[in-house]
Amino acid sequence: MDTLLLSRIQFGANISFHILFPTITIALGWVLLFFKLRFNATGDQKWMDAYLFWVKVFALSFAMGVVSGITMSFQFGTNWPGFMETVGNVAGPLLAYEVMTAFFLEAVFLGIMLFGASRVKRWVHTLATFLVAFGTTMSTFWIIVLNSWMHTPQGYELRDGVVFATDWWEIIFNPSMPYRFVHMLLASGLTVAFLIAGISALRLLWGDRAESVKSTLRFGVVTGALLIPLQILAGDLHGLNTLEHQPAKVAAMEGNWETGPNVPLLLFALPDEEARENRFEIGIPSGASLILKHKPEGVVPGLNDFVAEDGTVMHPRVAPVFFSFRVMVGTGIAMLLLSWGGLYLMRRYGAGEMPRLSLYAFSAMSFSGWIATLAGWYTTEIGRQPWLVQGVLTTKEAVADVPAGMVLGTLLGYLAIYAALIVAYIAVITYLARKASRGEPLGSRVHPASGEAEVAMLQPGE
Amino acid sequence: METFGDPAIWLPWTFAALMGLSILIYVILDGFDLGVGLLMPLANEEEKDRLVASIGPFWDANETWLVLAIGLLLVAFPPAHGIILTALYLPVFIMLVGLILRGVSFEFRAKAPASQKTRWNAAFFAGSLMASMSQGFMLGMYIMGLTWTLSHVAFALLTAVFLTVGYSFIGAAWLIGKTEGALQAHAVRWARGGIWGLILGVGAISLATPFVSARIFDKWFSLPEFLYLSPLPILSGALIVYLWWQIRQLPRSDDRMSWGPFAAAILLFALAFGGMAYSFYPYVVPEQITIYDAAAAPESLFIILIGTLFVLPAILGYTVLSYYIFRGKATELRYD
């Protein structure tokens, strides 16, 4: 394998590992704020129990996100120097704003949020929780701005092959940004909803009847059921936006080789890159035309339009885009069915008495958000190839001249660590759930939530 | 933009200064928490928890300064970023693996089953060691002009050891201020054991740097510069003497001056850093590319600068707030 492919795999591995954790922390920060506010408002201990359990997951996820994020910031230089040399004038300020307005905010206030509850007033702690959640969301915003600009660049001019910014408003609010941002926030919300529902279901299966577990199960199922239709709508709009700006990507997603009307929606196929056709096609007639153009005779772009006269292929490899898109959509449909089914069962039997089979299903789907998110990112990122910045810079032009053996060595190193850490991460979350199910205390401090507790604390002789 | 003269001059200069400041803050802040990690094997089981507790609320934000420093290099001097990081490909990899191991061990050691705690403690130490050694190595390679020859690598290995011991010293100095009782007494002993790394490290870098290039030599050893610069080595020497003396007096029963060694170590790091900055200016890639040649477009730098002027004071402000909230001797870490 050559340096280019190895570097792509290495970057892909790093960013795949990284995105798992922000996907959890972005939404979980807000969820923790919600638990905290519920506790502040009601004084009900179950909300504090929920907070104390999930804040551990948050801390763990946050640490994983920070360390893998640091890796990302170095990879630009070690593996892709051409990226900053060419588009640094746009990417630089966006990354700088990300670090300054978001990274520091979340990192500093995280310390107060995690360990400061006994040292600051309650409102300061709630404020710190808010700032951490806000910081992670701001972080997402800037990164999505940069990523979207790489898909739909505008507001720049080229001078001697180097990008210079001309209009920052156009750069930040580039055409695909709003869609991608909403799509990612919803993805994070869904990932967390299913994680909370799944782990709560697991605890119920283990016989944990705590009020906080029922409440978090309810919270996860309801949030999932609310967000998934919104996500399907957002995804559809994002797809139409992609059709307008990156038709080659949509052609690969649909596995459509020839531009034309009445293009079927393929449920399955094996794209053959050599023969430039699909094998074993199973599809719904005119389905893709209907989805993308809202009429059966709608013309859908085909991949053959993106081959230059000299035979240079200017579209992505079809199979990875085609399949990861189907994995994402398939997971989304499973989420829709499960969360709505779960909602029905919950209304009928109550959160504590749901059929065991449904609890097993939720447990199995605990990390389904990860699968959908990764598949979605693979679709959009591989779908942009051979471009790194659409129409401006190809991936090949940006790669560093590092010996392939060196890249392979470090790649194997990263993969080994990441595999071990994912196993440890899931194992520890399961362990924490197991421990909580056994009724071991989540925290040692008595919370003066109600007057009663405060009086209790004042009793002498304790 | 033109108010201060040619923006192609003052913007790169400003950004080099900001980047230098970020690196210095990083080296001091993550220096002490990496140092605490390095001291882990010397502490007993109970002390280990207190060691981690002393840096728990801070390490995350401390590491962010590295992201800011590398980010500024990336955004302000894009070609230099590529050259430096591809030249240091392998040590960067080792540092990143170290930082990953260390960062996650923080969480895992407290949350994983108790039987696995030893393993995560080991990972915490190993990560701290990998990060410190590779940073020292990169420092040495940078001083030697980023070329991989046998003698340069040998020098870099030396700086790797010195910086690591130096970090363990500033870590011990932090613990002297942040702990009490038996652990504080241990920390004083660790500081006595680590001070030679600081002395040899500062000494080696100060001696080697002028001989790397005639340009740097002339910057230091021509008159009248030599006289203007003489406070730098004199002050450093005085600080070392102070440190040497102070850690033989500590710990005092009334805890007086327990922050003295940490403050002196910070000053020493800052002086050494200032000396290096003076040596290498105006180059960002030693003897190859100046900050003026490597700078990004003034328009882009200007838009970052505006944000920086608003944001950096805020960052400094809430960093101070965080250290204030968690002031005093380290206590057990808990979420409630």
Side-chain angles (χ1 to χ4, degrees):
Chain A
M1 281 197 271
D2 60 353
T3 303
L4 174 62
L5 186 58
L6 284 167
S7 297
R8 278 184 59 195
I9 296 175
Q10 177 157 318
F11 197 80
N14 279 312
I15 207 157
S16 299
F17 180 73
H18 175 67
I19 193 67
L20 299 178
F21 304 103
T23 305
I24 288 181
T25 52
I26 295 163
L28 190 52
W30 294 107
V31 171
L32 286 173
L33 182 67
F34 173 75
F35 289 165
K36 177 107 181 111
L37 290 173
R38 291 302 296 154
F39 173 72
N40 288 357
T42 63
D44 191 337
Q45 183 64 28
K46 71 176 183 184
W47 294 113
M48 186 40 79
D49 288 346
Y51 177 88
L52 285 174
F53 178 80
W54 286 99
V55 79
K56 290 181 180 166
V57 177
F58 183 81
L60 187 62
S61 314
F62 201 95
M64 302 275 270
V66 168
V67 293
S68 54
I70 292 174
T71 313
M72 304 301 321
S73 67
F74 278 89
Q75 292 253 313
F76 289 121
T78 51
N79 296 70
W80 306 100
F83 177 70
M84 286 313 279
E85 280 160 27
T86 310
V87 303
N89 289 324
V90 167
L94 297 178
L95 286 170
Y97 273 90
E98 194 266 339
V99 175
M100 291 192 300
T101 62
F103 211 162
F104 270 107
L105 199 67
E106 52 189 16
V108 173
F109 284 98
L110 180 76
I112 301 174
M113 171 186 165
L114 292 184
F115 307 120
S118 58
R119 286 179 172 255
V120 295
K121 292 203 175 67
R122 190 195 279 179
W123 70 266
V124 178
H125 185 252
T126 306
L127 180 68
T129 312
F130 165 77
L131 286 171
V132 170
F134 178 72
T136 48
T137 308
M138 283 303 288
S139 212
T140 317
F141 174 77
W142 289 114
I143 291 299
I144 290 286
V145 165
L146 173 55
N147 180 273
S148 298
W149 185 84
M150 289 161 64
H151 286 271
T152 51
Q154 63 171 28
Y156 69 96
E157 62 183 19
L158 276 169
R159 282 184 237 150
D160 300 327
V162 174
V163 163
F164 286 81
T166 52
D167 185 340
W168 282 100
W169 187 263
E170 278 196 6
I171 288 171
I172 293 173
F173 295 95
N174 65 74
S176 63
M177 190 280 283
Y179 300 97
R180 206 178 307 273
F181 185 53
V182 170
H183 202 38
M184 183 64 214
L185 288 185
L186 287 170
S188 174
L190 281 165
T191 303
V192 169
F194 277 85
L195 180 66
I196 292 181
I199 299 292
S200 306
L202 195 63
R203 287 176 64 176
L204 281 169
L205 284 170
W206 282 336
D208 189 346
R209 315 306 296 174
E211 281 305 312
S212 71
V213 179
K214 290 178 209 159
S215 291
T216 49
L217 178 66
R218 225 175 277 131
F219 176 84
V221 174
V222 171
T223 310
L226 280 175
L227 293 185
I228 188 75
L230 293 175
Q231 182 68 311
I232 291 170
L233 178 67
D236 181 54
L237 293 173
H238 192 179
L240 296 179
N241 179 265
T242 308
L243 177 66
E244 190 184 337
H245 295 279
Q246 294 172 299
K249 187 194 288 183
V250 173
M253 283 155 67
E254 300 298 346
N256 184 35
W257 296 92
E258 273 305 329
T259 304
N262 299 93
V263 174
L265 174 67
L266 298 179
L267 300 176
F268 183 82
L270 284 182
D272 184 337
E273 208 94 15
E274 299 299 312
R276 300 193 68 76
E277 61 179 21
N278 297 328
R279 278 187 259 160
F280 310 111
E281 266 190 21
I282 306 168
I284 300 169
S286 302
S289 293
L290 271 171
I291 288 176
L292 291 163
K293 298 284 181 177
H294 303 295
K295 53 186 179 195
E297 64 278 14
V299 175
V300 172
L303 290 155
N304 291 338
D305 288 4
F306 303 96
V307 179
E309 301 227 325
D310 62 355
T312 316
V313 176
M314 293 308 279
H315 64 72
R317 284 192 64 82
V318 182
V321 179
F322 180 82
F323 285 115
S324 43
F325 179 62
R326 269 149 195 76
V327 170
M328 175 187 77
V329 173
T331 315
I333 291 171
M335 285 174 151
L336 179 72
L337 296 177
L338 183 63
S339 61
W340 284 53
L343 200 60
Y344 167 76
L345 292 172
M346 213 167 62
R347 289 194 72 90
R348 174 135 185 218
Y349 299 103
E353 304 300 329
M354 279 168 65
R356 288 183 78 79
L357 192 63
S358 67
L359 295 180
Y360 280 116
F362 274 108
S363 306
M365 291 279 280
S366 295
F367 291 95
S368 55
W370 276 3
I371 294 169
T373 305
L374 282 182
W377 276 110
Y378 292 156
T379 306
T380 198
E381 294 294 294
I382 300 174
R384 191 190 51 226
Q385 304 299 328
W387 297 105
L388 182 54
V389 179
Q390 184 83 32
V392 177
L393 176 73
T394 62
T395 318
K396 198 176 170 181
E397 290 164 339
V399 75
D401 186 22
V402 178
M406 182 96 94
V407 184
L408 181 63
T410 51
L411 170 63
L412 293 176
Y414 283 123
L415 287 178
I417 293 172
Y418 291 162
L421 288 181
I422 296 239
V423 172
Y425 176 84
I426 295 178
V428 164
I429 291 186
T430 321
Y431 169 75
L432 288 174
R434 171 72 89 181
K435 208 166 88 166
S437 304
R438 284 198 301 258
E440 290 179 30
L442 295 158
S444 36
R445 197 161 71 108
V446 178
H447 283 273
S450 59
E452 200 181 350
E454 250 166 290
V455 173
M457 271 185 76
L458 293 170
Q459 296 297 318
E462 269 201 346
Chain B
M1 225 163 117
E2 304 286 344
T3 326
F4 305 104
D6 186 357
I9 299 294
W10 68 265
L11 271 171
W13 195 92
T14 311
F15 272 87
L18 282 173
M19 185 173 77
L21 185 70
S22 305
I23 295 176
L24 178 63
I25 295 178
Y26 170 75
V27 167
I28 290 169
L29 294 183
D30 214 29
F32 83 71
D33 70 43
L34 282 169
V36 170
L38 292 167
L39 296 169
M40 282 289 271
L42 301 175
N44 62 39
E45 286 312 308
E46 199 187 328
E47 288 174 346
K48 283 190 171 95
D49 285 345
R50 198 45 58 96
L51 253 55
V52 171
S54 80
I55 50 178
F58 311 112
W59 75 272
D60 220 326
N62 291 351
E63 249 169 41
T64 307
W65 289 98
L66 177 66
V67 180
L68 182 64
I70 206 70
L72 284 173
L73 177 65
L74 178 96
V75 302
F77 311 105
H81 178 258
I83 293 171
I84 294 172
L85 289 186
T86 42
L88 298 174
Y89 190 86
L90 208 53
V92 165
F93 167 73
I94 295 172
M95 177 184 76
L96 292 173
V97 170
L99 291 177
I100 291 173
L101 274 182
R102 197 183 123 72
V104 301
S105 306
F106 250 105
E107 296 296 331
F108 278 123
R109 67 181 293 286
K111 296 184 176 62
S115 57
Q116 294 174 12
K117 196 168 176 182
T118 328
R119 232 180 297 161
W120 289 113
N121 280 340
F124 184 59
F125 167 72
S128 307
L129 184 66
M130 286 164 82
S132 311
M133 290 285 281
S134 50
Q135 284 175 12
F137 186 86
M138 288 190 266
L139 173 68
M141 288 305 286
Y142 184 86
I143 291 173
M144 289 295 151
L146 297 172
T147 45
W148 288 73
T149 66
L150 199 61
S151 58
H152 291 177
V153 172
F155 177 78
L157 286 173
L158 270 183
T159 50
V161 173
F162 294 156
L163 187 77
T164 303
V165 183
Y167 277 172
S168 77
F169 177 83
I170 196 170
W174 166 262
L175 288 173
I176 295 174
K178 203 70 187 159
T179 61
E180 53 204 334
L183 179 53
Q184 191 183 37
H186 279 167
V188 171
R189 227 181 311 143
W190 297 332
R192 284 180 204 153
I195 192 165
W196 63 268
L198 204 60
I199 298 170
L200 288 179
V202 173
I205 291 167
S206 312
L207 289 178
T209 313
F211 293 98
V212 172
S213 87
R215 186 187 64 82
I216 299 178
F217 188 90
D218 288 341
K219 277 182 93 168
W220 283 89
F221 296 105
S222 54
L223 290 169
E225 283 86 350
F226 183 71
L227 293 176
Y228 296 146
L229 292 166
S230 57
L232 210 67
I234 293 172
L235 212 56
S236 304
L239 281 169
I240 285 175
V241 172
Y242 169 79
L243 278 172
W244 192 273
W245 171 79
Q246 186 64 266
I247 56 175
R248 264 153 193 76
Q249 308 299 315
L250 288 167
R252 296 187 177 85
S253 52
D254 58 356
D255 207 42
R256 204 160 41 82
M257 293 311 291
S258 66
W259 284 105
F262 187 67
I266 289 180
L267 274 179
L268 197 60
F269 270 65
L271 285 176
F273 191 84
M276 272 194 63
Y278 173 76
S279 298
F280 286 102
Y281 178 83
Y283 289 93
V284 56
V285 181
E287 309 302 312
Q288 286 180 43
I289 302 180
T290 67
I291 54 173
Y292 306 106
D293 295 333
E299 301 91 313
S300 291
L301 289 181
F302 195 67
I303 199 147
I304 306 175
L305 186 65
I306 295 171
T308 311
L309 291 179
F310 284 101
V311 177
L312 204 60
I315 293 175
L316 289 171
Y318 54 67
T319 303
V320 170
L321 174 75
S322 159
Y323 278 82
Y324 176 75
I325 289 176
F326 294 100
R327 70 191 175 284
K329 301 296 181 188
T331 51
E332 186 197 352
L333 286 185
R334 41 202 283 183
Y335 290 147
D336 56 346

